[in-house]
Amino acid sequence: MFLPPCWLSSSAARVAGILRSFLYPFLRWVLTAAAGLALVIPAVAPAGEPPVPGLPRVSTAAIPWSIADSAAASGDGTAVLAEITEASPTMARIRERGRIVLGYRQTAVPFSYVDAQDQPMGLAWALCQRVVQALQREMAMPDLRITPVRVIEQMRGPLIKGDAIDIDCAPSTVTATRERQVAFSLPYYAANVRLMVRQGAGIRSIDDMRGLRLAVVQGTTAERLVRARHARAGFQLLMARDYDDAFRMLREHRAQALALDDVLLEGLRATSKSPDAFRIVGPPLATQPEHYALALPKDDPAFKTRVDAALADIFRSDGMRQLQRESLQTAVPPFGHVLRVVPSPDVLAIWEAGARYGVSADGITHAPEHDTSAASSSPRG
């Protein structure tokens, strides 16, 4: 049937009017809502394809699960698993969605950073992989997957408190202030806040910083320590968003020094084109070393117990020394400079204490029952 051009034209105009009036506003609403959700929900990319730029990558490979574990879980384990997930809201949430969400940093070398393919790596990240393996066995979930989410220091507490991440796999110092928002696992490392300067700067300690500019990452314990010295030392304080931003200030001569944990300073120096152009100076800014731990959801002692038990197994084996060699005595991107960080006496003491977790006086290893005292009693940085 032939339709006159004027009818077609008026029909097209009528359809366009309907789209403008109803469909387009609806699509705009959908896109706006989706953009809001993307701020807290990581994007899942199809297998073999890169994720949406700016959003976290998602691991599509499940961690291996042994046949023995599978056989053990195939019995009458339903009631046990139900009891576990009921006692732990975090584990119940993980079971419901079939994945565990792990936070990481982009530039916290050598604990939590990304490689050339933008994949998380480092000592803290590797510890979390071991913990996930233990949770897979504990929860009888061989297909439990990992969703990595990039986190900045200032958002660690709010994201854990809001259930956006299950474990923060980064160098988080145990402090009383942070314990109001999150729980901490057994500590796994120790460090001291010091200064890094350029060679030939003539700066030997924070007392030489009068009239100069000192960079520090906002939200770190280093910020608290340098603020306590600010009035007496008389330096100008420059606030950085993250570790890379702070190191950039030092490299570009906008700051004369950078205050941060010494092991993280070693990591930043190794990422420079010329590591020998920088040196770490001065005594520690605190009387006690800082203790690193994995940050966990608060008020979930059952989940903390499982994480601590997994870490204790690593401490009792040669696992920590192996991870130390793989993460702190290795080449790091982007230039392949080699880190040569060996465990200090404070670090070795933490590993020895962690190995005793859950071991009774008779030397028998027991599964701890929701013990929350381990992290609370750790020294503060």
Side-chain angles (χ1 to χ4, degrees), residues 75-376:
D76 298 329
T78 305
V80 176
L81 292 174
E83 181 181 349
I84 290 173
T85 54
E86 182 179 356
S88 168
T90 305
M91 295 173 76
R93 186 171 61 247
I94 292 170
R95 170 169 290 281
E96 181 179 0
R97 67 187 176 211
R99 58 189 175 91
I100 183 169
V101 184
L102 304 180
Y104 70 95
R105 304 291 182 272
Q106 187 175 7
T107 57
V109 180
F111 293 96
S112 186
Y113 61 104
V114 296
D115 60 16
Q117 287 73 45
D118 204 33
Q119 295 296 318
M121 61 185 303
L123 177 61
W125 183 257
L127 278 177
C128 279
Q129 311 309 297
R130 302 286 186 93
V131 169
V132 171
Q133 290 178 12
L135 290 174
Q136 281 185 306
R137 294 188 292 268
E138 182 85 18
M139 301 174 69
M141 294 184 67
D143 295 326
L144 178 63
R145 300 180 184 277
I146 295 173
T147 298
V149 174
R150 187 173 297 171
V151 177
I152 61 174
E153 293 290 327
Q154 300 89 331
M155 291 303 296
R156 164 183 42 214
L159 288 175
I160 294 178
K161 189 175 181 179
D163 298 335
I165 57 176
D166 301 312
I167 306 177
D168 188 37
C169 310
S172 297
T173 303
V174 180
T175 70
T177 299
R178 290 174 181 169
E179 282 184 320
R180 298 191 190 107
Q181 283 193 308
V182 304
F184 286 103
S185 71
L186 292 174
Y188 64 84
Y189 216 82
N192 289 286
V193 175
R194 297 176 64 193
L195 298 187
M196 184 161 68
V197 301
R198 299 184 69 88
Q199 287 282 7
I203 300 172
R204 297 179 300 277
S205 72
I206 197 169
D207 295 328
D208 297 324
M209 289 296 297
R210 181 169 297 276
L212 301 179
R213 295 181 296 276
L214 175 62
V216 67
V217 179
Q218 184 179 4
T220 61
T221 50
E223 179 193 357
R224 174 177 56 83
L225 291 173
V226 298
R227 283 191 182 279
R229 306 281 193 96
H230 186 228
R232 180 169 59 86
F235 51 81
Q236 180 183 351
L237 196 58
L238 301 183
M239 304 304 298
R241 297 185 307 274
D242 53 31
Y243 303 125
D244 192 47
D245 186 35
F247 190 36
R248 189 181 303 112
M249 292 179 180
L250 180 62
R251 290 199 314 266
E252 297 175 356
H253 299 271
R254 286 184 284 158
Q256 283 74 46
L258 165 59
L260 194 60
D261 304 355
D262 48 12
V263 64
L264 295 175
L265 291 175
E266 291 287 4
L268 288 173
R269 182 165 65 175
T271 65
S272 169
K273 284 184 178 181
S274 306
D276 293 337
F278 305 92
R279 64 191 185 101
I280 299 172
V281 300
L285 300 187
T287 56
Q288 295 292 329
E290 310 213 333
H291 285 192
Y292 293 165
L294 304 177
L296 313 171
K298 194 172 176 61
D299 301 324
D300 192 344
F303 185 63
K304 171 179 159 50
T305 296
R306 265 73 187 186
V307 172
D308 286 347
L311 292 175
D313 286 341
I314 300 172
F315 294 139
R316 281 190 285 269
S317 68
D318 193 41
M320 282 307 301
R321 293 184 181 276
Q322 177 185 347
L323 293 178
Q324 163 85 23
R325 292 190 295 270
E326 293 175 354
S327 301
L328 279 74
Q329 294 173 280
T330 186
V332 297
F335 302 108
H337 297 307
V338 177
L339 274 172
R340 292 182 175 85
V341 178
V342 297
S344 67
D346 290 323
V347 171
L348 295 176
I350 284 178
W351 296 352
E352 291 172 4
R356 294 193 296 270
Y357 176 79
V359 179
S360 62
D362 57 8
I364 300 176
T365 302
H366 301 277
E369 292 296 330
H370 309 334
D371 179 16
T372 60
S373 62
S376 300

